[in-house]
Amino acid sequence: MIQIVRNFFIALRQIAVGDKKYYAWVGFLSFLIILGASAYIGQLNRGLIITAMRDQVSWGFYISNFTFLVGVAAAAVLLVIPAYLYNFKPIKEIVLFGELLAISAISMCILFIMVDMGQPLRVWHILPVIGAMNFPASLLAWDVVVLNGYLAINSVIAFYVLYRLSIGKEYKMSVIGPLIILSIPWAVSIHTVTAFLYNGLPARPFWNASILAPRFLASAFCSGPAIMLILFQIIRKLSEVEIENKAIFKIAELIAYAMGINLFLLGAEVFKEFYSGSIHSDPIKYLYFGLHGHNNLVPWTWFASILNITAFFLFLFPKTRENFTTLNMACAFVITGVYIEKGMGLVIPGFIPDTLGEIYEYTPTMQEILITIGIWATGALLYTFLLKLAVPVYTGKLRFFSKAQMVTAGDIMSRRIITVSPDTSADEIAKLLVSRHLSKAAVIDQNNTFVGTVSEADIISLEVGQGADRKIADIMSAPAAPVKEDVKIQELGKILADRKVSSLFVVNKDNQPIGAVSGNDVLRALENIRQE
Amino acid sequence: MLKGAALGFAGLALPLDRANASFWEAFFQKHFREMNDAEIKKVISRLEKEYAEKYKKAITIGNEKPLPGVLYGYGLDLSRCIGCRRCVYGCVEENNQSLDPQIHWITVLRFKKGEKWVDLENAEKYYNPETVPQEDYFYMPVQCQQCENPPCVRACPTQATWKDPDGIVVIDYNWCIGCRYCMAACPYGARRFNWAAPTRPSEKINPNTHYLGNRPRYKGVVEKCTFCIQRTRHDPGRYPACVEACPVGARKFGNLLDPDSEMRYLIKHKRVFRLKEDLNTNPKFYYFFAYGN
Amino acid sequence: MKRSLVMCAAFLFICAFILHPSFAESAQQELPKKLFVTPPPFSEGIFPCSQCHAGMPVNRTPRKLEMMHQNIILKHMPGGWCFDCHNPDNRDTLRLANGKIIKFEESYNLCGQCHGTILREWKNGLHGKRTGYWNGEKQYYLCVSCHWPHDPPFKPIKPLPPPVSPSDIK
């Protein structure tokens, strides 16, 4: 029990302590959160009248953001499909970060719903048994069920994986495999149910269209992965987590297909509305051309469409897709385009014209915007904290140990190593060492057994121009023998000191290299144990 | 922004001073349909006390049950309505609607004769000429249609709104969470939301109320026409206030299940139509044109 | 003897029945007992009319009035004048076309002589205003409560204010 408390404080310290950039970022987000919170207190005080929503347009900016974020949450997990169905290994490693994003996105969704409610303290009325949930008639009740279920699934998977990693063990696929499989249709369902929420209302002809659910999924598949692409680049820049470009480009390719489908569906919608030309096409007319002189959303709509089409082509062609400048531009375009199209571009036209023919043009007030920014900042902060915890656990830097455990080299090692065959040239090894920020490579034979080490020093000592010719056999050093994974860390410290090396490779019982351990890892582990 | 923050933090003080028993009773109050008569009585007496404190006058909250064998219907003679809005304000007085922010349960729409109107696209509601009726226009009031197949009841996630056996779609103002899904679902724009705390001076409060009807409402809940449930659910029951306010007798009300009622007569003898019938909401509001110009 | 007496009595009885006023006027029914009409909307102090007209001589010549009631311009029934409806012999009553005398409270029957379909609708609740109880006592508003008999078309009135526009609700 005390263990858990101590581990909790270790985790807390991990989140609370960081470098200057970290403090600046957290401070900035906290400032935005405080702004949002104070605006929200004003809303609690006076009521939703501080927003621009009125009876004619009774849902607005909050629900727009909610709808967009449900898509992001769904897509975060849908990366799982290519990872497992196509067994695409580079993506497998990053599913965890997608799930953490899903957790943050769903949390933001819940916050947006809470701030949109007129009587937030009564939220318990929506629960079954203790409340009076109107299931299965009300689609909103369905949404509550699926969104919270999704949050639970992702939380269980993510925290189980992190917990297992943090105590130096692998996660059991038998435990989370079924949950991961379940999360795939569940991810589809959260966004389909959200679409049905709009779709099932015959009072609003703009929403009462079968195309809504497919469009939601298509646009979710664009915006969610695009956000993830940007986040992954940030993660791999700021930490030791390695995310291969291959993974990034594959995801970008998927975005291209999703955007293609999204644009096709948009075209289908545009045709039906403008060609049939009944009064039910008034909302889309309002979006693209204005209606009876009201045209607030017209520039936004065209802007979003142009962004989406441009992004489609940028993602489609490998040349622009695999160039990080154009790739990131395309991501920004997609995120902005879908945010507009699925946010305000979906919610507001449902109410214009209203059921009695009136047109009320809605523009969010400053307080609404502040509260919205505050919620986005909360989600960003949550994701930041989750990463601050997850990344070191993932890379092996953060470990929890109990006194009862006999800590071995295998528990504290980093699994990030480079293995090369003996006929690799020195130049190639040098390239690998640079790109992966490592100082040594392990040389293995055809049975994957450890043969020797090649370090930076070995390569640097070569004369210039000799790199291509020299084979490893000439330059590698044999003396730095690896340690077995079951060596206890107290002995490990001695070994490192005796051999006067900063790090050693760790091998399993078949003498195959499985990781590397440094003096730093030993010190950190000892510190963690000392804290208990 | 700083002012907002200061106001916000000051506002925090408000709920704290109501941290008395009444606050917790209100918080844990059960759904109306799950309470037995004794519990409802307790709730009503607590509410009456709260209203008495707030408005400094005695307010009675009734809980009249639906009358057996009754299904209310409403008739509106479009050949007679002159768009004078006395029904709108009669309703406001009877049903304790907020004056600021202004809430009207009834909306009167104006259409130009000869122009497309049934789809409501050309409806106007802000007309304000010197006198009505004007030569080239006709008028159509709209309020809650008390649908037999109400989309709002289906939409509500907490069952805060439901259809009673006498056809009236009611709202429990103490259960509504203010999500406004019902407002999105209503094809007739009949529901109103309390975007701020409703205000009505004490002398204008009608003290004869019904729990599901015209008792004073709260910030953040939805309200709408209830066919004057506090008047109509008696034997004998009074006409709704809008019926009595109309100076030209354009409004008709009665029991659809009574073959001798004026409602049945009008459905039998006049060409009636209902708004947006294609949506299959089965509304109880029958529009017709009697004889005349 | 007895037989002819019975025949006589039967004959008299049948005559009495046929000639009884209520039978002859079945077209002009009484309203059901539970329904009431609103009182006639007399101008202040004008009723009973006999307080002036009791001793006055009756002038049955259709003309434009000069001394009193000159502000009543008849815009109803072109070519008609006062005594088409008012009873010259007793101004506290009205006179139907068939000579029957009715009280002001029953004036709907007078209107109904020409506006029979409207009268039928009024009795069925479709025309005109009603207040009271939808399943009990109702007050039927008399025709004259809304339609001034001398110029019946309903006059335009000032509408009550339009609702506040949503952009003006702060």
Side-chain angles (χ1 to χ4, degrees), chain A residues 41 44 122 138 197 282 358, chain B residues 8 121 126 155 176 181 219:
Chain A
I41 291 174
L44 279 179
R122 293 184 188 172
S138 167
L197 206 154
D282 275 354
E358 184 176 353
Chain B
E121 201 195 70
Y126 299 104
C176 172
Y181 192 31
K219 173 179 71 180

Side-chain angles (χ1 to χ4, degrees), chain A residues 95-311:
Chain A
V95 167
L96 176 70
F97 300 118
E99 274 163 10
L100 293 178
L101 177 65
I103 293 174
S104 310
I106 294 284
S107 305
M108 282 194 267
C109 287
I110 293 174
L111 285 175
F112 274 115
I113 295 296
M114 292 300 296
V115 301
D116 188 64
M117 280 171 61
Q119 290 269 351
L121 286 181
R122 293 184 188 172
V123 67
W124 64 272
H125 290 179
I126 214 173
L127 297 171
V129 182
I130 58 170
M133 180 183 263
N134 189 9
F135 191 91
S138 167
L139 262 303
L140 242 174
W142 277 86
D143 223 12
V144 167
V145 169
V146 295
L147 285 178
N148 285 296
Y150 189 67
L151 181 62
I153 292 174
N154 279 307
S155 302
V156 166
I157 295 176
F159 290 121
Y160 172 77
V161 167
L162 286 174
Y163 169 72
R164 293 292 290 186
L165 287 179
S166 75
I167 57 171
K169 304 240 180 357
E170 288 285 339
Y171 53 83
K172 290 201 207 118
M173 257 322 254
S174 58
V175 173
I176 57 165
L179 278 180
I180 291 180
I181 302 295
L182 177 64
S183 73
I184 300 174
W186 204 285
V188 171
S189 85
I190 62 166
H191 218 21
T192 309
V193 168
T194 306
F196 282 174
L197 206 154
Y198 291 103
N199 185 326
L201 300 180
R204 309 283 171 185
F206 182 64
W207 295 338
N208 191 215
S210 328
I211 210 170
L212 215 67
R215 272 209 79 192
F216 266 38
L217 284 168
S219 56
F221 261 121
C222 303
S223 53
I227 292 181
M228 276 190 281
L229 284 187
I230 295 187
L231 287 173
F232 290 156
Q233 290 175 69
I234 296 175
I235 290 174
R236 74 177 180 180
K237 193 156 191 205
L238 295 179
S239 75
E240 281 181 17
V241 173
E242 291 177 345
I243 301 173
E244 290 186 38
N245 282 354
K246 245 200 319 190
I248 294 195
F249 298 146
K250 194 61 168 180
I251 295 173
E253 197 187 327
L254 292 176
I255 296 179
Y257 301 145
M259 182 48 88
I261 298 176
N262 189 31
L263 288 174
F264 171 71
L265 293 175
L266 171 65
E269 215 179 340
V270 161
F271 168 76
K272 179 256 184 184
E273 298 293 0
F274 286 112
Y275 189 82
S276 344
S278 72
I279 69 158
H280 293 316
S281 22
D282 275 354
I284 207 173
K285 251 193 243 154
Y286 170 72
L287 275 181
Y288 281 99
F289 302 110
L291 193 63
H292 302 313
H294 301 270
N295 47 21
N296 275 1
L297 283 184
V298 172
W300 293 96
T301 313
W302 285 104
F303 182 52
S305 296
I306 292 171
L307 285 181
N308 282 343
I309 295 173
T310 314

Side-chain angles (χ1 to χ4, degrees), chain C residues 7 21 34 39 47 62 64 72 79 82-83 99 106 122 125 130 137-138 141 144 147 170:
Chain C
M7 290 286 284
K34 269 189 12 168
F47 192 82
K64 191 161 165 308
I72 299 182
C82 319
F83 287 149
E106 213 190 305
W122 179 80
R130 285 182 174 188
E137 248 179 52
K138 298 175 215 264
Y141 274 50
V144 297
H147 304 282
K170 298 276 179 269

